[in-house]
Amino acid sequence: MIARLRQSYRDMRLGTRLALGLGALALVVFAVVGSALTMYMRDYLSAQLNEQLKIAQIAQSKSIADYGTLKGKKYYRWYYAVYDTSGGAPVLRKPEDPGDLPKDIDDFTLVAKALTVEGKEVTRTEHLKGQGQYRLRACEVEPGVVLVSAAPMDDIEDTVGQLITVQVVTFVLALMALVVFGRAMLRRGLKPLSDMAHTARGITSHDLTDSARLPVRHDNRDGGPEVEELRTAFNTMLEHIDDALAVRTEAEQRLRRFVADASHELRTPLMSVRGYADLFQYAAAHSPEERDKHLARLRAEAARMGYLLDDLLMLARLDAADVETPLRLEEADLVELALQAADAFRAGHPDHPLTVRTGPAPVRLRLDPLRLRQVLDNLLTNAAVHTPRGTKVCLEVSVTPGTDASGTTASGMAASGTAASAKVSSGTAEVRITDSGPGIPADDQERVFDRFYRVDKARSRDRGGSGLGLAVARSLVRAHGGTITLAGEPGTTTFTVRLPLGEDGA
C-alpha cells in the first residue's frame, strides 16, 4: 500500500506535488497555531473563573461571619460547603439549603483539609460524580472556618469546543483554497518549464540529418529570474546544438565532395593508364615503332596519379596533425628558400617574367624547408598555369616587426639604442606572390583553397592540375602556425603567406 502511494506521488506533476507539499506545510502551521490559540483561550477562561470564585467568596465570607451560614443570592449550579476546622479535621456545617451541596462531598472535604494543612487558599479542578467538571476553591473565612466553593466548567469547555470547531472549519476551508489556488499559481509559474519540455519534444521529432537549423526556441520570458536563467541556458544549448549540427553537416558534405572528386580524379588517370596499356600491348605486337611513345605516356599518367595520391596523403596527414606531425622543423633562411623557388620557376616557366624582392638580411625561421618550398612552388606554379604567356610575376619577402610592452617596434628600439636584451613580441615574416593576370572572380576567391576546386571548370586537367595545390599550401602554412590569404581584383592577384617569427626574430 505504501509503495503504491509512493508510486502515485511520483507519477504526479510537479505543480500538484508542490501544492500538496505546501498544503501539508500549511496543515502543520494551522495545527500549531490552533493548538496555541486553544490553550491560550482555555487558560484565559480558567483564570477568569478563578477570579470570579475569589470575588464571590469575599462577599460570601462576610455572610458566613455574620450569620454562621451562607445566605443571600447564589450562582446557578454553584455549590458551597462550610467547614469547622478548629479541631484539626474539617467538619461540615449544615447548609442553609440542601441544594448547596452535591450528593458526593468527598472532593470538598479533601480541599478543605488541604487548606488546613497548607495554610493557604487552595484551587483544584475535580470531576463531581453526576455533575461534571468543576473548579473548587477553598478559603479561610475566619480562624477555624473554611468556605469551599465549586463553579461548573461547562461554559469553558463549550467555549473551547466551539473555538476548536470554528478553527477546524476555517483551517479546512483555508487549506482547500490554498491547495486549489496554490496549484493554479504553481502551474502558471511552472508553465515556462512545460513550454521547455514541449520545445524539447519538438527537437526529438526534428530530423537532425537535415542541414537546416533547429526550428524551435523557447521565447517565453515569464517565471522569474530563475526560469529566465534556465531559459537562457536552454536556448544557449540549442545554439550549441545548431552549431555542432552545422559543423557536422558541413564536414559530411565536404567528405562527400572530397570522396566524389577524389574518385573522379583518380578514375581519369586510371582509365588513361588502362588505355595506354592496351595501346602499348597492341603496338608491341603490330607497330613496334609506336611502343616507346605509348610507354612514355603510360609513365606520365602513372606519375600524374602518383602526384595526386601524394597530395591526398599529405592533406590526410595534415588533417591528423594531432596524431602525427608531418613537419620536420629546423632553422632555415626564408630568403634562401624564396630564391631557390624563383630559380626553379624561371627554369620551368621562362615565358613568365619573375621579379624577386628581398631584404638585405636573411630571415631565419624554424620551419620545414621541404614543405615550405612546396608551398612557394605551388603558389608560383598556380600563377603560371592560370595566366597567359608573358604575364609578370613578383615574389617579395619582407618582415613585419613586433612591439615591446610599451608599443615600441623592434626597428625603433634599434634606432634609439635600446638594449639588445629587451624582449620583443613576435612579428611576422611575409611572402607575397603577385601576378598581373586576369585575376580571380570575387565569387571564387573564398573557395580557391577548397580541395578539388577550380575557378575555370572547363580547364583541362593536363593544364589545370588536380585542384589540390592551394589546399595543400594552406594546410602546410597552417601547420607552421601561419596564414595564407588572397587579395585580387581584375588585373592583379596577390597571395600572402604570413609566418610567425620567434621572440627575438629578425
Side-chain angles (χ1 to χ4, degrees):
M1 182 65 179
I2 297 178
R4 187 180 303 174
L5 291 176
R6 288 180 178 175
Q7 185 61 37
S8 300
Y9 179 76
R10 294 191 186 101
D11 294 339
M12 293 180 182
R13 296 184 65 85
L14 179 60
T16 303
R17 293 168 63 177
L18 289 177
L20 290 177
L22 184 62
L25 179 62
L27 182 61
V28 174
V29 173
F30 290 162
V32 172
V33 172
S35 299
L37 183 60
T38 301
M39 293 176 61
Y40 172 79
M41 181 59 69
R42 187 187 295 275
D43 293 342
Y44 174 77
L45 294 177
S46 296
Q48 290 291 101
L49 182 60
N50 293 339
E51 187 67 20
Q52 189 178 2
L53 279 170
K54 181 179 180 181
I55 293 174
Q57 284 183 337
I58 292 175
Q60 292 166 352
S61 297
K62 183 178 181 182
S63 174
I64 294 173
D66 293 341
Y67 303 105
T69 184
L70 185 60
K71 294 182 179 293
K73 186 176 180 181
K74 302 172 183 177
Y75 292 101
Y76 175 69
R77 292 186 61 199
W78 283 39
Y79 294 110
Y80 309 94
V82 181
Y83 288 90
D84 290 319
T85 59
S86 56
V91 178
L92 179 65
R93 290 184 182 181
K94 183 179 180 180
E96 178 188 19
D97 185 355
D100 290 347
L101 292 175
K103 294 180 180 180
D104 186 1
I105 62 171
D106 292 343
D107 293 329
F108 285 77
T109 304
L110 291 175
V111 172
K113 187 177 181 179
L115 184 144
T116 303
V117 174
E118 298 177 7
K120 59 181 180 179
E121 297 175 351
V122 177
T123 301
R124 290 182 181 177
T125 300
E126 302 290 346
H127 182 80
L128 302 182
K129 295 180 181 179
Q131 302 298 324
Q133 204 80 0
Y134 271 75
R135 179 65 53 81
L136 278 67
R137 187 177 189 276
C139 67
E140 189 176 32
V141 176
E142 58 185 19
V145 180
V146 174
L147 170 63
V148 179
S149 300
M153 298 184 66
D154 295 348
D155 292 342
I156 295 179
E157 297 300 328
D158 292 343
T159 302
V160 172
Q162 292 177 6
L163 176 62
I164 293 175
T165 301
V166 171
Q167 288 179 349
V168 169
V169 174
T170 303
F171 288 167
V172 168
L173 293 177
L175 184 61
M176 292 176 61
L178 180 63
V179 171
V180 173
F181 291 104
R183 182 171 180 270
M185 294 180 64
L186 287 172
R187 289 185 63 181
R188 181 177 179 180
L190 295 175
K191 187 176 182 300
L193 299 182
S194 299
D195 294 341
M196 291 183 193
H198 179 73
T199 302
R201 285 193 294 270
I203 294 175
T204 58
S205 62
H206 182 70
D207 184 10
L208 297 182
T209 61
D210 187 5
S211 60
R213 291 173 60 86
L214 292 175
V216 288
R217 289 293 186 275
H218 180 67
D219 298 325
N220 192 344
R221 297 183 177 273
D222 297 333
E226 294 83 2
V227 177
E228 174 65 18
E229 183 178 356
L230 179 60
R231 184 194 69 83
T232 302
F234 186 79
N235 287 340
T236 302
M237 178 191 67
L238 292 181
E239 292 294 337
H240 285 308
I241 293 175
D242 265 343
D243 294 341
L245 290 177
V247 171
R248 188 192 71 175
T249 301
E250 177 63 22
E252 290 178 351
Q253 291 177 351
R254 291 178 60 186
L255 179 60
R256 293 191 188 100
R257 290 196 302 265
F258 180 81
V259 171
D261 291 339
S263 301
H264 184 71
E265 294 293 338
L266 289 173
R267 183 180 60 181
T268 300
L270 284 174
M271 292 179 63
S272 298
V273 168
R274 180 183 299 176
Y276 286 126
D278 292 339
L279 290 175
F280 177 79
Q281 184 179 9
Y282 178 82
H286 300 86
S287 181
E289 64 275 5
E290 296 289 330
R291 181 180 57 188
D292 293 339
K293 181 176 67 174
H294 296 319
L295 181 60
R297 291 180 179 177
L298 183 62
R299 289 175 176 173
E301 290 298 330
R304 178 184 165 199
M305 186 168 58
Y307 295 147
L308 178 59
L309 290 175
D310 288 341
D311 288 342
L312 290 175
L313 179 60
M314 173 59 64
L315 289 173
R317 294 182 64 191
L318 292 173
D319 289 341
D322 54 337
V323 179
E324 56 177 326
T325 302
L327 301 181
R328 297 178 180 178
L329 301 179
E330 61 182 67
E331 291 290 334
D333 182 8
L334 183 60
V335 173
E336 182 180 352
L337 292 176
L339 293 175
Q340 294 175 3
D343 292 340
F345 178 80
R346 291 191 182 100
H349 304 277
D351 53 347
H352 284 73
L354 175 64
T355 303
V356 179
R357 298 173 184 171
T358 62
V363 180
R364 306 292 299 179
L365 295 175
R366 184 168 178 78
L367 47 80
D368 187 331
L370 180 62
R371 297 307 179 188
L372 192 59
R373 171 67 187 278
Q374 184 179 355
V375 172
L376 299 179
D377 289 341
N378 285 355
L379 294 177
L380 289 171
T381 301
N382 184 76
V385 170
H386 296 285
T387 58
R389 295 176 180 272
T391 302
K392 295 181 180 180
V393 181
C394 178
L395 173 60
E396 182 179 359
V397 179
S398 62
V399 174
T400 301
T403 58
D404 64 0
S406 63
T408 305
T409 64
S411 58
M413 293 172 60
S416 59
T418 306
S421 60
K423 295 295 183 182
V424 181
S425 62
S426 298
T428 57
E430 294 185 357
V431 179
R432 285 183 294 275
I433 298 177
T434 306
D435 66 72
S436 57
I440 299 176
D443 295 338
D444 295 317
Q445 290 184 11
E446 296 182 358
R447 299 193 57 191
V448 293
F449 294 103
D450 292 347
R451 300 172 186 183
F452 297 113
Y453 185 80
R454 295 184 183 86
V455 175
D456 186 0
K457 307 299 186 299
R459 184 182 298 274
S460 70
R461 289 178 173 83
D462 292 336
R463 189 165 183 263
S466 64
L468 290 177
L470 293 180
V472 170
R474 182 178 64 173
S475 297
L476 286 173
V477 171
R478 286 182 175 178
H480 282 83
T483 60
I484 181 171
T485 57
L486 167 64
E489 58 185 16
T492 180
T493 300
T494 302
F495 286 91
T496 304
V497 176
R498 295 181 176 88
L499 298 173
L501 293 173
E503 193 172 74
D504 295 320

